[in-house]
């Protein structure tokens, strides 16, 4: 897997986009886009200019169980980079922290305070495991400084248990501050093979893609009525990126095995942030 060159090592300041709103195409083309940031995972360790491993059970972040009743303990050792990919390994491992014992360890990494992305297209090429009791994800949280769900959440790819479907979800606050969410599911899908998962935002719509084919599009205008009413416009804010593999939890459909050799690996080839090229740099697609 030959990679693109890294365009920027750190994006502390978000790259802003000026793009014209449009209905998301069924098949996305990146011909008129350019990479503004990427991690190609070409080294031998996680790039600390892009990522921070989040450690523990969520308690030190004020969200025990990571807000999802997850059963694993996240460790730095469970994320690695080799042969051009980043790997997050969930495994059966007796691990004691404080007074609590855990049966599984895994990893969760975040680009918070290092890389923020604005409007445009974010894509990762991922191979997910299939196993009882796991919940791999590629997702984003908003950077407006507000407590979830007021910050917004964009789940570009969530995979559950051994299900042959994948899910993309948006979260935003209703007018009382409670979480509102809606999601789209794939049809039957071989998630254990390489696929690209992407999210396009232009300030009017948010669209999810699998292998650059449209899965679902939503308006990002605030909704005043209906059961989905709320401040959807937070989905237009700047966001940071996360990857993790949870063990157990609200959507994992149970807990993983406790056999000594059990493990499940999510592998990521690259993650890239694209924005539209300036108009003067766009080449005509037909002869005049």
């Amino acid at each position: 897997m030959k990679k693109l060159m890294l365009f920027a090592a750190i994006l502390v300041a978000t790259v802003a986009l000026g793009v014209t709103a449009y209905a998301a195409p069924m098949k996305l083309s990146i011909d008129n886009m350019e990479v503004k940031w990427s991690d190609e995972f070409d080294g031998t360790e996680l790039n600390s200019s892009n990522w921070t491993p989040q450690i523990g059970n969520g308690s030190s972040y004020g969200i025990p169980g990571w807000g999802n009743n997850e059963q694993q303990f996240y460790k730095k050792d469970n994320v690695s980079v080799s042969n051009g990919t980043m790997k997050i390994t969930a495994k059966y491992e007796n691990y004691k922290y404080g007074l609590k014992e855990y049966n599984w360890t895994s990893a969760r990494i975040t680009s918070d305070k290092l890389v923020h992305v604005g409007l445009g297209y974010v894509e990762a090429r991922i191979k997910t495991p299939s196993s009882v009791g796991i919940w791999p994800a590629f997702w984003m949280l908003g950077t407006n400084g507000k407590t979830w769900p007021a910050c917004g959440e964009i789940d570009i790819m969530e995979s559950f248990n051994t299900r042959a479907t994948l899910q993309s979800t948006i979260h935003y606050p209703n007018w009382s501050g409670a979480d509102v969410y809606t999601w789209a599911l794939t049809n039957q899908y071989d998630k254990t093979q390489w696929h690209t998962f992407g999210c396009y935002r232009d300030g009017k719509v948010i669209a999810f893609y699998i292998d650059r084919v449209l899965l679902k599009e939503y308006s990002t205008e605030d909704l005043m009525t209906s059961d989905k009413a709320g401040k959807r416009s937070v989905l237009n804010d700047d966001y940071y990126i996360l990857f993790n593999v949870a063990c157990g939890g609200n959507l994992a459909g149970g807990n993983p095995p406790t056999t000594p050799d059990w493990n499940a690996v999510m592998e990521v080839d690259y993650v890239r942030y694209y924005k539209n090229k300036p108009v003067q740099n766009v080449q005509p697609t037909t002869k005049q």
Side-chain angles (χ1 to χ4, degrees):
M1 314 168 202
K2 197 55 195 163
K3 317 285 187 169
L4 289 174
M5 297 225 12
L6 187 63
F7 275 68
I10 306 175
L11 283 188
V12 177
T14 301
V15 181
L17 274 181
V19 281
T20 302
Y22 69 103
M26 290 299 296
K27 179 76 174 179
L28 183 72
S29 171
I30 62 168
D31 290 347
N32 293 337
M33 298 182 186
E34 58 188 359
V35 177
K36 301 307 295 182
W37 169 85
S38 75
D39 197 327
E40 306 295 329
F41 302 114
D42 282 332
T44 57
E45 60 184 8
L46 200 65
N47 187 337
S48 61
S49 295
N50 296 336
W51 308 103
T52 302
Q54 293 187 296
I55 309 301
N57 62 4
S59 295
S60 61
Y61 298 87
I63 44 173
W66 298 98
N68 300 303
N69 296 309
E70 297 174 25
Q71 300 301 305
Q72 79 292 318
F73 189 92
Y74 285 132
K75 296 171 60 181
K76 181 179 180 180
D77 295 345
N78 291 55
V79 60
S80 62
V81 176
S82 63
N83 300 318
T85 66
M86 183 268 291
K87 294 122 177 131
I88 290 180
T89 301
K91 61 183 178 180
Y92 173 71
E93 179 182 13
N94 292 127
Y95 189 82
K96 186 173 182 178
Y97 181 78
L99 299 176
K100 186 173 175 58
E101 293 186 0
Y102 297 84
N103 288 322
W104 305 279
T105 61
S106 187
R108 167 169 160 156
I109 63 172
T110 174
S111 75
D112 189 21
K113 298 181 177 61
L114 297 171
V115 177
H116 296 169
V117 297
L119 300 179
Y121 181 60
V122 177
E123 178 183 83
R125 185 169 183 257
I126 305 173
K127 184 164 60 174
T128 61
S130 179
S131 174
V132 172
I134 61 169
W135 180 1
F138 162 43
W139 53 301
M140 303 195 298
L141 286 170
T143 64
N144 63 16
K146 297 180 181 179
T147 303
W148 187 92
C151 63
E153 177 179 332
I154 300 171
D155 302 317
I156 302 173
M157 185 282 296
E158 295 181 284
S159 169
F160 311 112
N161 208 289
T162 58
R163 281 167 42 183
T165 56
L166 301 171
Q167 180 172 306
S168 299
T169 307
I170 55 173
H171 293 259
Y172 54 95
N174 70 13
W175 296 109
S176 299
D179 178 39
V180 181
Y181 60 91
T182 185
W183 69 90
L185 288 173
T186 65
N187 293 319
Q188 298 294 307
Y189 217 76
D190 188 353
K191 60 188 181 181
T192 65
Q193 300 302 308
W194 287 107
H195 298 283
T196 62
F197 304 94
C199 172
Y200 179 86
R201 299 182 296 145
D202 69 0
K204 294 293 184 181
V205 300
I206 179 170
F208 295 107
Y209 289 88
I210 299 178
D211 295 326
R212 297 183 183 165
V213 175
L214 182 67
L215 172 63
K216 185 70 175 181
E217 173 190 348
Y218 300 96
S219 168
T220 56
E221 294 184 359
D222 290 340
L223 298 179
M224 303 306 297
T225 59
S226 87
D227 61 338
K228 300 300 182 184
K231 194 175 181 182
R232 275 199 186 184
S233 58
V234 299
L235 300 172
N236 299 322
D237 290 350
D238 300 337
Y239 278 72
Y240 61 88
I241 302 168
L242 303 100
F243 291 95
N244 71 292
V245 179
C247 297
N250 295 342
L251 296 179
N255 290 332
T258 53
T259 51
D261 60 348
W262 178 83
N263 69 81
V265 180
M266 177 171 74
E267 202 166 355
V268 183
D269 180 20
Y270 64 77
V271 55
R272 297 173 185 157
Y273 170 46
Y274 297 79
K275 76 169 190 176
N276 284 10
K277 294 178 182 177
V279 174
Q280 63 268 25
N281 294 339
V282 175
Q283 298 300 311
T285 56
T286 58
K287 293 182 179 179
Q288 299 299 315

